[in-house]
Amino acid sequence: MARPPDWVIYTLVLAALIGLSLGQRENADAPPAPPPPDEMEGALLGPITPFDPAVTVNAPDIPFQPAAGTAFSIAGEGQWVTARHVVEGCRRPAIMVGGGRAVAADVRLAPRADIAVLHTAGGPAALPLAANQPLRKGQRAFHPGYPQGRAGEVTSRLLGRETLRVRGRGQREEPVLAWAEVGRTDGLGGTLAGLSGAPVLDRQGRAVGVTIAESPRRGRIYTTSPDTFGPAVRGLQKADEPLTGRTVTIDNYGLVADDLRRDLRVVQVVCLSA
C-alpha cells in the first residue's frame, strides 16, 4: 500500500493538536452587548456643581390658596408621593378615588426639597422606584397626571441639571432636572398646572423623580433630582413590595397613563375646605 505524502500526515497531526487545544480552552466569552441606547441619549448626567444654570421662581407671600395636583403610589400600604407645594399649608389634603369621593391623607414634608409623602389607610399597587438609577442627557421621560385638573400626560427629554431658586414664601434653593417637553395629550393646550406631583417615568415604567414646575415660554418641565428624590423615599418601599412595571413608549404612553389612573396608582390630590 502506498504511503501517504508527508504533508498529509503533518496536516492531520496539526489538526488533531489544534482540536485538543481548543477543547481544553477556558470559555471566558462576555455576554452579548446590551441594546444600543435611544438615538438621542447622550452622556451620563454628572453630579451637582456650582456652575449649574439657575432658574428663579417667585412665590407670593400670601396665605395658602387651595390647589390641586397629582400623586402616585409607592407602597400598597398607603404611601404616596406628591410635590410639597401642592399640600404645604393645607389642613385637609385628600386623595381623589373616583365618583367624587376623597380619602383623607396625613402629610410629611421633605425638609429641603419640593417633595411630600402622603399616608392613607391602605392603597393600590405601587409604582416601581428607580431613585438612584443613572440618567442620561437626552433620555425620554413620561409624566402622567392631572394637568388643569383633568386626565393628561406629557413626554419630555432630559436637558441637564439646574438650580431652582424660590423667592418669597418657602424661600429655598434645590437642585432640579430640566426636561424639554416634546409631546402631550392631544387637545391639551396651555399650562400644565395640576401636573405637579406626577411621577417621572422612565421607559421601564419606573419612577425616577417628581414633576414640580414648568416654564411654558421655554417649553421646559422641572423635576426633582436623584439627590433629593432618593433620600425622600428611602426605606418607604419595602424589598418585598409587589411591583409591576410596564414598558412605556411614545406610542403607548397615553394608554399606560390611563391604566395608571384607572388603577388609582396615579391620582389627583386636593385640599378640602375646612
Side-chain angles (χ1 to χ4, degrees), residues 120-138:
T120 59
L127 286 177
L129 298 180
N132 299 313
Q133 183 70 16
L135 302 177
R136 290 184 177 274
K137 291 184 177 180

Side-chain angles (χ1 to χ4, degrees), residues 43-183:
L44 285 170
L45 188 69
I48 300 171
T49 76
F51 307 106
D52 291 336
V55 57
T56 300
V57 174
N58 292 313
D61 192 9
I62 58 176
F64 173 78
Q65 301 294 316
T70 302
F72 58 99
S73 172
I74 62 167
E77 63 184 21
Q79 305 267 27
W80 313 76
V81 169
T82 188
R84 173 175 176 153
H85 71 266
V86 171
V87 294
E88 186 173 18
C90 176
R91 294 184 178 181
R92 297 182 62 198
I95 299 291
M96 298 300 297
V97 294
R101 295 174 299 155
V103 175
D106 295 323
V107 178
R108 177 173 63 81
L109 303 177
R112 290 179 294 276
D114 196 350
I115 301 173
V117 177
L118 308 179
H119 306 269
T120 59
L127 286 177
L129 298 180
N132 299 313
Q133 183 70 16
L135 302 177
R136 290 184 177 274
K137 291 184 177 180
Q139 79 172 67
R140 190 182 296 277
F142 305 90
H143 313 253
Y146 288 87
Q148 301 176 27
R150 56 193 178 95
E153 51 278 332
V154 175
T155 182
S156 63
R157 292 277 191 181
L158 179 57
L159 296 174
R161 291 187 179 275
E162 292 195 17
T163 298
L164 182 67
R165 293 173 178 164
V166 179
R167 298 289 182 257
R169 182 169 58 88
Q171 180 169 314
R172 68 182 186 279
E173 288 190 4
E174 69 173 285
V176 296
L177 301 184
W179 306 72
E181 180 188 331
V182 294

Side-chain angles (χ1 to χ4, degrees), residues 204-251:
Q204 286 73 50
R206 304 171 300 183
V208 299
V210 184
T211 308
I212 58 176
E214 67 165 328
S215 176
R217 283 189 174 183
R218 305 174 72 187
R220 292 189 178 183
I221 297 171
Y222 297 99
T223 74
T224 58
S225 77
D227 311 274
T228 55
F229 182 56
V233 300
R234 184 176 297 130
L236 296 179
Q237 191 170 90
K238 298 178 181 178
D240 60 352
E241 183 80 34
L243 301 172
T244 54
R246 180 175 173 184
T247 300
V248 194
T249 70
I250 57 172
D251 297 317

